[in-house]
Amino acid sequence: MADNDNGRTIGLSRRKMLVGLGAVGVASAGAGLGTTAYFNDTETFENNELTAGELDLFVHVDYSEDQGSFAQYATPEGTFINGNVVGGGEGEPLSIDVEDLKPGDSGEGEFCFSIVDNPAYLWMCGELTANDENGQTEPEADDDSTGGDPGPGMGEIADAMEVSVSYCTPDGEVGNEIVSGSLRDVMLALRAGVPLYGDGDPSAPVANRPAFEGVEAPFDESDEPVVAEQCVCFEWVVPTSVGNEIQTDSVTFDFEFYAEQARHNDGTNNPCVEFDTVLTTDADTGVDRDGDGQGDAEGNWITARVSSGPTTVVQVELDGDMYGGGSSGLGEWPSNPNSYVVEANFDVDTDGLSESPNDDFRFGFGSASSGARSAGIANSTSGASGDGGYIRRNTGTGGTNNRTDTAAEDAPGFLAVESADRLTYTFVIDWTSGLPALSSVPTQFVVNEVFASDGGEGVASSNSSNDGRAAIDNVTDASGTITV
């Protein structure tokens, strides 16, 4: 102990003094103690250990196929894929090879998930990796007018095979549909990435959707899988109406599941697509909600991300705060739900890059009453109806437009998807599929613009009902030349 100038004893123990000094960061003995010596003491916390949790994805697979008297196949009981955590390895692949495919053949599978040991957001990805003709037999040539040259993109199985992917329970009870259509259509959707919902209800927005619960271990003491409540089931069939056109053809495709921890994430990170180009509208101040003459948001009305390649993906995001949305009730997108469009305008080199006009393709999504979609339905061979995708094809030159519209349902190789909240639109374009009036697969393209219009109270103009909203830029910049 030490005495102060008045001879009183300082009533602090040595250890309490050290705590006090540490708490306030005192740089000297101070307090008139008459010394510059520091008290000192050392306490050591040894063998401390911080252990990271796990996020290890196990996919349990139950698959079977029926080829009549020719063959029956099922995965061995207990088949699983250990995919590991994101960034922790690509996992162990499982390959299934179906030979001598015939009309009437079918198969079904179930994927169930053990996520050890953190809740996670799941995505399902996929890709059609080959769709080959492999030459033609004489009866196939009679039914198939594609020419018979072997090579990718020429086979008919991808369009002939019907596939459905749905949520299901571990005991196989099928729930809400995820995606269905031809194998080509389904793989186009998976190429763009499909977010999975832990409750099996895909009606909510992607952000902060229900995650898949974590489990302590992928198997219990009896080696039975311990899985989340929701699984994914898929079924495929080659209809008996399919004829000789698929003879000798072959098709290959990949499924992939991706898990990312739910904690500190919102689930919007799409792992299925690597975007290499970003297009935006001009920065704006958005909607004037309070009538003071000033916009109440800040940002870009449209952000479009492009992933180039033989299958090109364009993801268009509309900022609801910029246009209205929320609880304001002013100008929510779309203000006219019966007449709106979102379009990506393309110029391709195999159709005369930089010709005039240069909007060779407009890949879009529109409501049932929008011009291009309405015309596409009118010319539809499939009976397409309602809101959906379309291709507006321009084959004009020298400044003259010569446009035809095709509903997406009638255009193999093109898919347009609208999110549940109508703020994200995804276009998937398979250039090898024979798009309308395309002479050959392009090697380059330019996205001239991406734009949105609601056909009424105006993304691009002041509101006709005079609620004080200013105009909002609805057209992105061009991309420049992108290599396929």
Side-chain angles (χ1 to χ4, degrees):
M1 297 292 179
D3 293 340
N4 67 8
D5 292 340
N6 297 319
R8 290 187 294 106
T9 300
I10 297 176
L12 290 175
S13 73
R14 184 165 174 262
R15 185 152 303 178
K16 287 182 179 179
M17 175 62 79
L18 285 172
V19 173
L21 289 174
V24 298
V26 175
S28 69
L33 298 179
T35 176
T36 57
Y38 291 95
F39 292 115
N40 63 83
D41 190 10
T42 301
E43 300 294 338
T44 301
F45 296 85
E46 296 181 345
N47 299 319
N48 302 297
E49 184 174 349
L50 298 176
T51 303
E54 292 183 74
L55 200 163
D56 203 354
L57 173 61
F58 289 73
V59 182
H60 304 271
V61 183
D62 183 5
Y63 171 81
S64 63
E65 63 195 37
D66 182 1
Q67 292 186 270
S69 59
F70 173 73
Q72 306 287 321
Y73 173 77
T75 52
E77 185 176 353
T79 298
F80 69 92
I81 306 168
N82 180 8
N84 231 326
V85 67
V86 175
E90 296 181 356
E92 302 167 7
L94 173 67
S95 297
I96 297 172
D97 185 11
V98 182
E99 297 181 352
D100 197 28
L101 193 67
K102 295 288 197 303
D105 289 353
S106 63
E108 59 183 13
E110 181 181 68
F111 300 108
C112 293
F113 312 105
S114 301
I115 304 171
V116 186
D117 57 355
N118 280 288
Y121 295 113
L122 281 181
W123 287 76
M124 186 174 182
C125 316
E127 186 173 9
L128 188 68
T129 55
N131 183 33
D132 296 338
E133 183 76 69
N134 301 319
Q136 287 188 316
T137 63
E138 181 179 347
E140 182 184 3
D142 291 338
D143 285 356
D144 180 5
S145 61
T146 59
D149 295 329
M154 297 297 294
E156 280 73 40
I157 294 180
D159 297 304
M161 181 181 287
E162 296 179 358
V163 177
S164 65
V165 182
S166 305
Y167 291 102
C168 58
T169 62
D171 59 7
E173 181 180 349
V174 176
N176 289 317
E177 181 180 286
I178 298 171
V179 61
S180 66
S182 69
L183 175 64
R184 186 196 295 274
D185 289 340
V186 169
M187 299 316 296
L188 283 177
L190 296 178
R191 172 67 182 85
V194 174
L196 300 179
Y197 289 72
D199 62 354
D201 181 2
S203 62
V206 173
N208 300 306
R209 65 189 183 277
F212 285 71
E213 66 267 28
V215 299
E216 293 184 358
F219 302 96
D220 63 17
E221 294 179 355
S222 301
D223 289 332
E224 292 295 320
V226 180
V227 298
E229 294 181 2
Q230 291 297 325
C231 303
V232 170
C233 287
F234 80 101
E235 300 174 272
W236 64 265
V237 63
V238 179
T240 54
S241 58
V242 174
N244 291 326
E245 65 268 20
I246 69 169
Q247 283 196 30
T248 72
D249 296 358
S250 63
V251 64
T252 60
F253 58 92
D254 295 334
F255 285 152
E256 184 177 55
F257 296 94
Y258 177 102
E260 184 174 77
Q261 71 174 43
R263 187 165 46 187
H264 306 309
N265 289 304
D266 64 3
T268 59
N269 173 47
N270 184 345
C272 304
V273 185
E274 293 185 6
F275 294 105
D276 45 48
T277 302
V278 179
L279 310 175
T280 61
T281 55
D282 293 339
D284 208 317
T285 56
V287 175
D288 175 17
R289 296 191 181 92
D290 54 15
D292 65 355
Q294 301 295 322
D296 297 318
E298 185 71 39
N300 301 97
W301 160 232
I302 299 177
T303 300
R305 295 177 174 85
V306 183
S307 175
S308 58
T311 299
T312 294
V313 180
V314 181
Q315 180 177 288
V316 183
E317 296 179 359
L318 310 184
D319 188 333
D321 286 336
M322 285 293 299
Y323 183 49
S327 61
S328 70
L330 297 179
E332 293 185 1
W333 168 267
S335 67
N336 185 344
N338 297 316
S339 182
Y340 66 94
V341 297
V342 177
E343 288 188 359
N345 182 331
F346 276 65
D347 182 24
V348 299
D349 64 344
T350 50
D351 208 35
L353 196 66
S354 298
E355 69 185 16
S356 177
N358 62 5
D359 55 343
D360 297 326
F361 288 92
R362 290 193 174 194
F363 299 104
F365 189 99
S367 59
S369 299
S370 60
R373 177 66 180 175
S374 178
I377 292 172
N379 298 323
S380 174
T381 60
S382 66
S385 62
D387 301 349
Y390 60 86
I391 297 176
R392 171 159 280 182
R393 183 70 170 97
N394 178 30
T395 56
T397 58
T400 302
N401 289 319
N402 181 16
R403 290 175 173 168
T404 57
D405 296 334
T406 305
E409 293 89 332
D410 303 320
F414 171 62
L415 185 71
V417 180
E418 179 185 60
S419 65
D421 61 4
R422 288 180 165 177
L423 291 178
T424 301
Y425 295 82
T426 305
F427 305 128
V428 189
I429 305 149
D430 178 2
W431 296 108
T432 70
S433 64
L435 298 173
L438 183 63
S439 60
S440 60
V441 176
T443 59
Q444 293 179 334
F445 65 84
V446 172
V447 182
N448 292 327
E449 62 184 13
V450 177
F451 68 92
S453 174
D454 61 9
E457 294 183 328
V459 175
S461 61
S462 299
N463 193 324
S464 59
S465 61
N466 297 317
D467 65 9
R469 291 194 294 115
I472 293 176
D473 180 26
N474 72 333
V475 181
T476 69
D477 294 330
S479 67
T481 302
I482 297 175
T483 300
V484 171

